[in-house]
Amino acid sequence: MKLATIYLACAAASALTAPPQLSELKSNLKLKLRKQQLLRATASQNVTTPRRYASRAELKDTLVDTLQPNPFHWTEWPFRIGSLGAFYLSYPLAWQAVSVLPPPNPTEGGYFFSLMSIVFGTLTASTISDATARLAALRAAAVEECTLMLPLIKRLEVILVLDANRPEKGDDVFRAVARRLHAHSCDFVGGGRERELELIAEGHDAYSEVVQILQQAKCSNIHDLDFALDGCGRLMEARGVRLSLENSGIPDVQYSVLRTLSIALAIAYTYLTLDRGEMAGIQPHSLGFVMSNNELIFDASFGVHALFAVVASALVVFNSLAIDVNLPFSGVFRLESGTVAASLKNLRSATAPYLDEPPPSPSEVSALYAED
């Protein structure tokens, strides 16, 4: 028992006198584990999509290049007309696939189709409504963060640089703050959420460094900085809201349910068309019409051809719309705010004269926006 006590005492003593390298290694390991947990917990399905709260053209006073429209995008008429044609021609194949089933009961089938249509419509409307509300909240969060940065940098410039009674090292403090905020502004037009979370986990994000700079300046007898420290606290809160909203999109399982309902509706409609009165059991014409003596003669199956194409195309458009509103940085309803662009432009103009040396930028994309 005494020997065990001696061993424990020696082990405790060795732990207390462990070399600093071991302690530093443990600290780095904990930091890496914490960063991985943070990134895993906040991983988004769109982490590879750059953020675009404002376009680069707006910040550089250049005209926006007119991009050639993609004819295969769901908002373009070639895509919609092509979808109608493709589904029109595919109806005979769909009919043949369900023709092996027993004939449908029109009454029960009608009830089922109506019920599934109501469920699909309700879920689609709810998805679009939630995604649109998130888009509006995300735009508001970005506007708040940008509008908070602008008065902060303006007031600091007056107190630390322009005022006749400016402190002795006020210019150096302001230049350090300006470099951080200038680089952080680049993240709004080309940064990534994953990179920002990584910097926050490491403690090297712009706001944390600005707080440290201002607090050190305050401890060095540069007073009147309480408003700036309070402003940084509000900026961190606004950033937290923005980052949370960036990751609060519609879950993938909801879109999976929408796709499943769409397929079920298309199959149900095709199955119900098996009961066509006297034409029941007769395979529909491949085109639904024929040319005879230079005259267009419609087949009896032309109506179900056309309705199947309209129903299936509408399902595709509704699904595409529901997905698009959940893509704030790459979809049609892109999140590019004019207020954010104006605020960032003013901020970058105010900080540009003080970027006299390459900053230890918290963003890898700041080089893309270096002043000419």
Side-chain angles (χ1 to χ4, degrees), residues 56 60 182 186 348 352 355 359 365-372:
R56 295 174 60 179
K60 285 182 171 290
H182 183 92
C186 300
R348 294 166 64 83
L355 304 178
V365 300
S366 59
L368 298 176
Y369 301 93
E371 299 296 329
D372 296 334

Side-chain angles (χ1 to χ4, degrees), residues 127-148:
T127 302
I128 296 175
S129 176
D130 292 344
T132 305
R134 175 228 182 184
L135 197 66
L138 186 56
R139 181 181 287 107
V143 168
E144 180 182 6
E145 186 175 354
C146 290
T147 52
L148 284 174

Side-chain angles (χ1 to χ4, degrees), residues 236-251:
M236 287 183 172
E237 293 177 2
R239 179 186 62 184
V241 174
R242 172 176 58 81
L243 290 174
S244 177
L245 288 170
E246 287 181 4
N247 192 51
S248 62
I250 306 299

